[in-house]
Amino acid sequence: MEAYTGSGWLLTKLEQLVNWGRKRSPWPLPYGTACCGIELMCALASGYDMARFGAERPSFSPRQADVLIEAGTITKKMAPILRRIYDQMAEPKWVIAMGACACSGGVFRTYSTLQGIDLVIPVDVYVPGCPPRPEGLLYALLKIMDKIDTEHPLRGEIAGLVEGK
């Protein structure tokens, strides 16, 4: 944004203004299924204060959230439910996979554990580690914000909404 000093005038492109607003108000949907959920709660608490990035409003309804934070192990039985939650989220939407179990199944090479949530839903940012640190989640949130900043919502270029992408 370019600001000109004077009597309250602000000059910018509408697309940059829309991205500025979207970037500074992500509404996360926490989906903690295992021990990584504790680290997710820690990132939301006052010590790390995810609210300073505008994400102070965790939503527990998929229709009112735009960033799904999946923290923990996903079993194959949970996979259709996770997909349904993802489908219920409004566009544009982003996904953060938090922890080794969410990213790749972790140490669980069993018949019931899903070997990565990208087998069910698309993932925008992976946070590795077992357990992942809250700083990793904050970094992932900043990466989502950078991704939002490069989108062109007025041209329909949001999260692959353009045909052929």
Side-chain angles (χ1 to χ4, degrees):
M1 255 193 263
E2 294 181 36
Y4 293 96
T5 58
S7 58
W9 285 92
L10 180 69
L11 185 61
T12 186
K13 294 178 183 174
L14 178 60
E15 193 169 76
Q16 289 176 331
L17 183 65
V18 169
N19 280 349
W20 180 82
R22 290 173 47 220
K23 178 178 166 181
R24 284 163 176 78
S25 61
W27 287 6
L29 171 67
Y31 193 83
T33 58
C35 46
C36 293
I38 301 298
E39 300 296 327
L40 171 61
M41 288 183 243
C42 187
L44 289 167
S46 61
Y48 289 95
D49 195 18
M50 210 159 82
R52 63 190 152 132
F53 301 110
E56 68 264 21
R57 187 200 166 273
S59 177
F60 295 98
S61 168
R63 291 176 184 87
Q64 298 173 348
D66 53 7
V67 179
L68 174 64
I69 302 173
E70 201 295 308
T73 310
I74 297 292
T75 62
K76 290 179 181 173
K77 195 172 185 178
M78 294 162 63
I81 297 164
L82 180 64
R83 181 64 200 197
R84 185 178 318 144
I85 287 172
Y86 177 78
D87 288 342
Q88 288 176 347
M89 292 173 66
E91 294 284 349
K93 54 191 167 189
W94 300 274
V95 176
I96 297 173
M98 186 175 172
C101 295
C103 296
S104 65
V107 297
F108 303 106
R109 297 280 177 222
T110 62
Y111 69 93
S112 62
T113 303
L114 194 68
Q115 301 300 305
I117 69 165
D118 56 351
L119 298 172
V120 179
I121 57 175
V123 176
D124 294 293
V125 181
Y126 294 92
V127 181
C130 182
R133 298 283 305 149
E135 293 93 343
L137 177 59
L138 296 179
Y139 183 74
L141 191 63
L142 291 175
K143 287 294 167 192
I144 294 286
M145 291 176 168
D146 289 345
K147 191 172 185 172
I148 292 170
D149 211 20
T150 60
E151 290 181 345
H152 303 284
L154 301 181
R155 291 186 234 162
E157 295 178 16
I158 300 173
L161 291 179
V162 177
E163 288 185 28
K165 286 193 173 182

PDB file of all heavy atoms in Angstrom, residues 59-85:
ATOM      1  N   SER A  59     -12.272 -20.811  15.305  1.00  0.00           N
ATOM      2  CA  SER A  59     -13.652 -21.151  15.002  1.00  0.00           C
ATOM      3  C   SER A  59     -13.836 -22.654  15.110  1.00  0.00           C
ATOM      4  O   SER A  59     -12.987 -23.421  14.683  1.00  0.00           O
ATOM      5  CB  SER A  59     -13.991 -20.692  13.587  1.00  0.00           C
ATOM      6  OG  SER A  59     -15.294 -21.079  13.261  1.00  0.00           O
ATOM      7  N   PHE A  60     -14.931 -23.077  15.675  1.00  0.00           N
ATOM      8  CA  PHE A  60     -15.205 -24.494  15.786  1.00  0.00           C
ATOM      9  C   PHE A  60     -16.311 -24.914  14.831  1.00  0.00           C
ATOM     10  O   PHE A  60     -16.865 -25.985  14.960  1.00  0.00           O
ATOM     11  CB  PHE A  60     -15.511 -24.859  17.236  1.00  0.00           C
ATOM     12  CG  PHE A  60     -14.307 -24.649  18.106  1.00  0.00           C
ATOM     13  CD1 PHE A  60     -14.157 -23.496  18.848  1.00  0.00           C
ATOM     14  CD2 PHE A  60     -13.293 -25.579  18.126  1.00  0.00           C
ATOM     15  CE1 PHE A  60     -13.030 -23.288  19.620  1.00  0.00           C
ATOM     16  CE2 PHE A  60     -12.151 -25.393  18.895  1.00  0.00           C
ATOM     17  CZ  PHE A  60     -12.023 -24.240  19.643  1.00  0.00           C
ATOM     18  N   SER A  61     -16.619 -24.044  13.896  1.00  0.00           N
ATOM     19  CA  SER A  61     -17.532 -24.359  12.810  1.00  0.00           C
ATOM     20  C   SER A  61     -16.759 -24.230  11.502  1.00  0.00           C
ATOM     21  O   SER A  61     -16.153 -23.189  11.245  1.00  0.00           O
ATOM     22  CB  SER A  61     -18.718 -23.399  12.815  1.00  0.00           C
ATOM     23  OG  SER A  61     -19.443 -23.541  11.615  1.00  0.00           O
ATOM     24  N   PRO A  62     -16.759 -25.254  10.653  1.00  0.00           N
ATOM     25  CA  PRO A  62     -16.009 -25.146   9.403  1.00  0.00           C
ATOM     26  C   PRO A  62     -16.537 -24.054   8.481  1.00  0.00           C
ATOM     27  O   PRO A  62     -15.793 -23.532   7.661  1.00  0.00           O
ATOM     28  CB  PRO A  62     -16.146 -26.525   8.771  1.00  0.00           C
ATOM     29  CG  PRO A  62     -17.215 -27.221   9.502  1.00  0.00           C
ATOM     30  CD  PRO A  62     -17.383 -26.557  10.821  1.00  0.00           C
ATOM     31  N   ARG A  63     -17.785 -23.696   8.613  1.00  0.00           N
ATOM     32  CA  ARG A  63     -18.352 -22.663   7.747  1.00  0.00           C
ATOM     33  C   ARG A  63     -17.866 -21.271   8.106  1.00  0.00           C
ATOM     34  O   ARG A  63     -18.058 -20.330   7.359  1.00  0.00           O
ATOM     35  CB  ARG A  63     -19.875 -22.725   7.811  1.00  0.00           C
ATOM     36  CG  ARG A  63     -20.418 -23.981   7.166  1.00  0.00           C
ATOM     37  CD  ARG A  63     -21.916 -24.085   7.311  1.00  0.00           C
ATOM     38  NE  ARG A  63     -22.395 -25.332   6.765  1.00  0.00           N
ATOM     39  CZ  ARG A  63     -22.466 -26.469   7.451  1.00  0.00           C
ATOM     40  NH1 ARG A  63     -22.109 -26.495   8.716  1.00  0.00           N
ATOM     41  NH2 ARG A  63     -22.892 -27.568   6.890  1.00  0.00           N
ATOM     42  N   GLN A  64     -17.264 -21.135   9.275  1.00  0.00           N
ATOM     43  CA  GLN A  64     -16.789 -19.825   9.716  1.00  0.00           C
ATOM     44  C   GLN A  64     -15.274 -19.794   9.855  1.00  0.00           C
ATOM     45  O   GLN A  64     -14.743 -18.958  10.578  1.00  0.00           O
ATOM     46  CB  GLN A  64     -17.444 -19.469  11.045  1.00  0.00           C
ATOM     47  CG  GLN A  64     -18.932 -19.361  10.947  1.00  0.00           C
ATOM     48  CD  GLN A  64     -19.585 -19.185  12.290  1.00  0.00           C
ATOM     49  OE1 GLN A  64     -18.957 -19.351  13.320  1.00  0.00           O
ATOM     50  NE2 GLN A  64     -20.854 -18.849  12.280  1.00  0.00           N
ATOM     51  N   ALA A  65     -14.574 -20.698   9.211  1.00  0.00           N
ATOM     52  CA  ALA A  65     -13.123 -20.751   9.305  1.00  0.00           C
ATOM     53  C   ALA A  65     -12.517 -20.807   7.915  1.00  0.00           C
ATOM     54  O   ALA A  65     -13.154 -21.262   6.963  1.00  0.00           O
ATOM     55  CB  ALA A  65     -12.698 -21.981  10.093  1.00  0.00           C
ATOM     56  N   ASP A  66     -11.293 -20.312   7.793  1.00  0.00           N
ATOM     57  CA  ASP A  66     -10.624 -20.399   6.501  1.00  0.00           C
ATOM     58  C   ASP A  66      -9.253 -21.060   6.583  1.00  0.00           C
ATOM     59  O   ASP A  66      -8.634 -21.283   5.553  1.00  0.00           O
ATOM     60  CB  ASP A  66     -10.538 -19.033   5.828  1.00  0.00           C
ATOM     61  CG  ASP A  66      -9.916 -17.964   6.692  1.00  0.00           C
ATOM     62  OD1 ASP A  66      -9.423 -18.286   7.784  1.00  0.00           O
ATOM     63  OD2 ASP A  66      -9.905 -16.803   6.269  1.00  0.00           O
ATOM     64  N   VAL A  67      -8.746 -21.348   7.777  1.00  0.00           N
ATOM     65  CA  VAL A  67      -7.478 -22.054   7.923  1.00  0.00           C
ATOM     66  C   VAL A  67      -7.716 -23.272   8.814  1.00  0.00           C
ATOM     67  O   VAL A  67      -8.016 -23.131   9.996  1.00  0.00           O
ATOM     68  CB  VAL A  67      -6.394 -21.153   8.551  1.00  0.00           C
ATOM     69  CG1 VAL A  67      -5.095 -21.937   8.718  1.00  0.00           C
ATOM     70  CG2 VAL A  67      -6.166 -19.917   7.714  1.00  0.00           C
ATOM     71  N   LEU A  68      -7.584 -24.451   8.230  1.00  0.00           N
ATOM     72  CA  LEU A  68      -7.720 -25.691   8.994  1.00  0.00           C
ATOM     73  C   LEU A  68      -6.348 -26.077   9.520  1.00  0.00           C
ATOM     74  O   LEU A  68      -5.409 -26.254   8.742  1.00  0.00           O
ATOM     75  CB  LEU A  68      -8.286 -26.801   8.114  1.00  0.00           C
ATOM     76  CG  LEU A  68      -8.362 -28.205   8.733  1.00  0.00           C
ATOM     77  CD1 LEU A  68      -9.318 -28.227   9.910  1.00  0.00           C
ATOM     78  CD2 LEU A  68      -8.779 -29.226   7.697  1.00  0.00           C
ATOM     79  N   ILE A  69      -6.218 -26.175  10.846  1.00  0.00           N
ATOM     80  CA  ILE A  69      -4.959 -26.589  11.458  1.00  0.00           C
ATOM     81  C   ILE A  69      -5.172 -27.999  11.982  1.00  0.00           C
ATOM     82  O   ILE A  69      -5.826 -28.196  13.003  1.00  0.00           O
ATOM     83  CB  ILE A  69      -4.535 -25.638  12.590  1.00  0.00           C
ATOM     84  CG1 ILE A  69      -4.397 -24.216  12.074  1.00  0.00           C
ATOM     85  CG2 ILE A  69      -3.217 -26.118  13.203  1.00  0.00           C
ATOM     86  CD1 ILE A  69      -4.134 -23.186  13.161  1.00  0.00           C
ATOM     87  N   GLU A  70      -4.624 -28.976  11.263  1.00  0.00           N
ATOM     88  CA  GLU A  70      -4.768 -30.377  11.667  1.00  0.00           C
ATOM     89  C   GLU A  70      -3.517 -30.751  12.450  1.00  0.00           C
ATOM     90  O   GLU A  70      -2.413 -30.731  11.931  1.00  0.00           O
ATOM     91  CB  GLU A  70      -4.931 -31.264  10.440  1.00  0.00           C
ATOM     92  CG  GLU A  70      -5.584 -32.594  10.744  1.00  0.00           C
ATOM     93  CD  GLU A  70      -4.752 -33.472  11.645  1.00  0.00           C
ATOM     94  OE1 GLU A  70      -3.578 -33.708  11.359  1.00  0.00           O
ATOM     95  OE2 GLU A  70      -5.298 -33.921  12.674  1.00  0.00           O
ATOM     96  N   ALA A  71      -3.705 -31.070  13.717  1.00  0.00           N
ATOM     97  CA  ALA A  71      -2.580 -31.373  14.599  1.00  0.00           C
ATOM     98  C   ALA A  71      -2.766 -32.761  15.187  1.00  0.00           C
ATOM     99  O   ALA A  71      -3.621 -32.968  16.037  1.00  0.00           O
ATOM    100  CB  ALA A  71      -2.487 -30.327  15.710  1.00  0.00           C
ATOM    101  N   GLY A  72      -1.967 -33.707  14.703  1.00  0.00           N
ATOM    102  CA  GLY A  72      -2.004 -35.036  15.291  1.00  0.00           C
ATOM    103  C   GLY A  72      -2.286 -36.133  14.283  1.00  0.00           C
ATOM    104  O   GLY A  72      -2.439 -35.903  13.091  1.00  0.00           O
ATOM    105  N   THR A  73      -2.379 -37.335  14.824  1.00  0.00           N
ATOM    106  CA  THR A  73      -2.569 -38.530  14.015  1.00  0.00           C
ATOM    107  C   THR A  73      -3.977 -38.587  13.439  1.00  0.00           C
ATOM    108  O   THR A  73      -4.948 -38.272  14.118  1.00  0.00           O
ATOM    109  CB  THR A  73      -2.346 -39.772  14.898  1.00  0.00           C
ATOM    110  OG1 THR A  73      -1.120 -39.622  15.594  1.00  0.00           O
ATOM    111  CG2 THR A  73      -2.316 -41.031  14.070  1.00  0.00           C
ATOM    112  N   ILE A  74      -4.070 -38.991  12.183  1.00  0.00           N
ATOM    113  CA  ILE A  74      -5.370 -39.207  11.543  1.00  0.00           C
ATOM    114  C   ILE A  74      -5.486 -40.692  11.247  1.00  0.00           C
ATOM    115  O   ILE A  74      -4.623 -41.271  10.574  1.00  0.00           O
ATOM    116  CB  ILE A  74      -5.501 -38.399  10.238  1.00  0.00           C
ATOM    117  CG1 ILE A  74      -5.440 -36.908  10.514  1.00  0.00           C
ATOM    118  CG2 ILE A  74      -6.782 -38.748   9.503  1.00  0.00           C
ATOM    119  CD1 ILE A  74      -6.632 -36.371  11.268  1.00  0.00           C
ATOM    120  N   THR A  75      -6.533 -41.289  11.733  1.00  0.00           N
ATOM    121  CA  THR A  75      -6.778 -42.696  11.400  1.00  0.00           C
ATOM    122  C   THR A  75      -7.605 -42.770  10.123  1.00  0.00           C
ATOM    123  O   THR A  75      -8.233 -41.796   9.720  1.00  0.00           O
ATOM    124  CB  THR A  75      -7.528 -43.409  12.538  1.00  0.00           C
ATOM    125  OG1 THR A  75      -8.801 -42.779  12.694  1.00  0.00           O
ATOM    126  CG2 THR A  75      -6.753 -43.349  13.839  1.00  0.00           C
ATOM    127  N   LYS A  76      -7.596 -43.931   9.507  1.00  0.00           N
ATOM    128  CA  LYS A  76      -8.364 -44.090   8.265  1.00  0.00           C
ATOM    129  C   LYS A  76      -9.857 -43.951   8.513  1.00  0.00           C
ATOM    130  O   LYS A  76     -10.609 -43.555   7.631  1.00  0.00           O
ATOM    131  CB  LYS A  76      -8.028 -45.439   7.633  1.00  0.00           C
ATOM    132  CG  LYS A  76      -6.624 -45.463   7.073  1.00  0.00           C
ATOM    133  CD  LYS A  76      -6.264 -46.787   6.463  1.00  0.00           C
ATOM    134  CE  LYS A  76      -4.833 -46.740   5.938  1.00  0.00           C
ATOM    135  NZ  LYS A  76      -4.355 -48.042   5.487  1.00  0.00           N
ATOM    136  N   LYS A  77     -10.275 -44.243   9.739  1.00  0.00           N
ATOM    137  CA  LYS A  77     -11.685 -44.088  10.090  1.00  0.00           C
ATOM    138  C   LYS A  77     -12.070 -42.611  10.177  1.00  0.00           C
ATOM    139  O   LYS A  77     -13.210 -42.241   9.913  1.00  0.00           O
ATOM    140  CB  LYS A  77     -11.937 -44.776  11.440  1.00  0.00           C
ATOM    141  CG  LYS A  77     -13.365 -45.018  11.762  1.00  0.00           C
ATOM    142  CD  LYS A  77     -13.471 -45.872  13.006  1.00  0.00           C
ATOM    143  CE  LYS A  77     -14.905 -46.248  13.289  1.00  0.00           C
ATOM    144  NZ  LYS A  77     -15.012 -47.111  14.462  1.00  0.00           N
ATOM    145  N   MET A  78     -11.104 -41.749  10.545  1.00  0.00           N
ATOM    146  CA  MET A  78     -11.378 -40.320  10.662  1.00  0.00           C
ATOM    147  C   MET A  78     -11.281 -39.593   9.322  1.00  0.00           C
ATOM    148  O   MET A  78     -11.763 -38.464   9.191  1.00  0.00           O
ATOM    149  CB  MET A  78     -10.379 -39.679  11.636  1.00  0.00           C
ATOM    150  CG  MET A  78     -10.510 -40.150  13.053  1.00  0.00           C
ATOM    151  SD  MET A  78      -9.043 -39.809  14.044  1.00  0.00           S
ATOM    152  CE  MET A  78      -8.992 -38.085  14.024  1.00  0.00           C
ATOM    153  N   ALA A  79     -10.654 -40.188   8.331  1.00  0.00           N
ATOM    154  CA  ALA A  79     -10.376 -39.519   7.061  1.00  0.00           C
ATOM    155  C   ALA A  79     -11.638 -38.980   6.370  1.00  0.00           C
ATOM    156  O   ALA A  79     -11.640 -37.827   5.923  1.00  0.00           O
ATOM    157  CB  ALA A  79      -9.602 -40.451   6.137  1.00  0.00           C
ATOM    158  N   PRO A  80     -12.742 -39.745   6.263  1.00  0.00           N
ATOM    159  CA  PRO A  80     -13.935 -39.166   5.614  1.00  0.00           C
ATOM    160  C   PRO A  80     -14.515 -37.982   6.381  1.00  0.00           C
ATOM    161  O   PRO A  80     -15.053 -37.050   5.775  1.00  0.00           O
ATOM    162  CB  PRO A  80     -14.924 -40.333   5.587  1.00  0.00           C
ATOM    163  CG  PRO A  80     -14.161 -41.550   5.915  1.00  0.00           C
ATOM    164  CD  PRO A  80     -12.914 -41.144   6.601  1.00  0.00           C
ATOM    165  N   ILE A  81     -14.400 -38.005   7.690  1.00  0.00           N
ATOM    166  CA  ILE A  81     -14.906 -36.887   8.497  1.00  0.00           C
ATOM    167  C   ILE A  81     -14.055 -35.649   8.263  1.00  0.00           C
ATOM    168  O   ILE A  81     -14.573 -34.537   8.099  1.00  0.00           O
ATOM    169  CB  ILE A  81     -14.928 -37.287   9.984  1.00  0.00           C
ATOM    170  CG1 ILE A  81     -15.896 -38.448  10.182  1.00  0.00           C
ATOM    171  CG2 ILE A  81     -15.290 -36.102  10.864  1.00  0.00           C
ATOM    172  CD1 ILE A  81     -15.745 -39.175  11.478  1.00  0.00           C
ATOM    173  N   LEU A  82     -12.733 -35.840   8.228  1.00  0.00           N
ATOM    174  CA  LEU A  82     -11.834 -34.715   7.942  1.00  0.00           C
ATOM    175  C   LEU A  82     -12.133 -34.143   6.561  1.00  0.00           C
ATOM    176  O   LEU A  82     -12.171 -32.924   6.392  1.00  0.00           O
ATOM    177  CB  LEU A  82     -10.378 -35.180   8.042  1.00  0.00           C
ATOM    178  CG  LEU A  82      -9.324 -34.117   7.770  1.00  0.00           C
ATOM    179  CD1 LEU A  82      -9.394 -33.008   8.824  1.00  0.00           C
ATOM    180  CD2 LEU A  82      -7.943 -34.742   7.743  1.00  0.00           C
ATOM    181  N   ARG A  83     -12.374 -34.984   5.580  1.00  0.00           N
ATOM    182  CA  ARG A  83     -12.701 -34.515   4.233  1.00  0.00           C
ATOM    183  C   ARG A  83     -14.007 -33.726   4.225  1.00  0.00           C
ATOM    184  O   ARG A  83     -14.137 -32.697   3.576  1.00  0.00           O
ATOM    185  CB  ARG A  83     -12.793 -35.704   3.267  1.00  0.00           C
ATOM    186  CG  ARG A  83     -13.111 -35.325   1.862  1.00  0.00           C
ATOM    187  CD  ARG A  83     -11.997 -34.492   1.269  1.00  0.00           C
ATOM    188  NE  ARG A  83     -12.454 -33.737   0.128  1.00  0.00           N
ATOM    189  CZ  ARG A  83     -11.644 -33.190  -0.755  1.00  0.00           C
ATOM    190  NH1 ARG A  83     -10.345 -33.299  -0.625  1.00  0.00           N
ATOM    191  NH2 ARG A  83     -12.116 -32.513  -1.759  1.00  0.00           N
ATOM    192  N   ARG A  84     -14.983 -34.205   4.982  1.00  0.00           N
ATOM    193  CA  ARG A  84     -16.271 -33.508   5.045  1.00  0.00           C
ATOM    194  C   ARG A  84     -16.102 -32.121   5.676  1.00  0.00           C
ATOM    195  O   ARG A  84     -16.677 -31.137   5.217  1.00  0.00           O
ATOM    196  CB  ARG A  84     -17.287 -34.325   5.834  1.00  0.00           C
ATOM    197  CG  ARG A  84     -18.672 -33.688   5.810  1.00  0.00           C
ATOM    198  CD  ARG A  84     -19.728 -34.480   6.540  1.00  0.00           C
ATOM    199  NE  ARG A  84     -19.615 -35.907   6.281  1.00  0.00           N
ATOM    200  CZ  ARG A  84     -19.861 -36.851   7.185  1.00  0.00           C
ATOM    201  NH1 ARG A  84     -20.258 -36.521   8.391  1.00  0.00           N
ATOM    202  NH2 ARG A  84     -19.754 -38.113   6.890  1.00  0.00           N
ATOM    203  N   ILE A  85     -15.307 -32.063   6.727  1.00  0.00           N
ATOM    204  CA  ILE A  85     -15.056 -30.768   7.374  1.00  0.00           C
ATOM    205  C   ILE A  85     -14.374 -29.823   6.387  1.00  0.00           C
ATOM    206  O   ILE A  85     -14.743 -28.653   6.271  1.00  0.00           O
ATOM    207  CB  ILE A  85     -14.213 -30.969   8.649  1.00  0.00           C
ATOM    208  CG1 ILE A  85     -15.079 -31.604   9.727  1.00  0.00           C
ATOM    209  CG2 ILE A  85     -13.613 -29.659   9.129  1.00  0.00           C
ATOM    210  CD1 ILE A  85     -14.329 -32.030  10.965  1.00  0.00           C
TER     211      ILE A  85
END
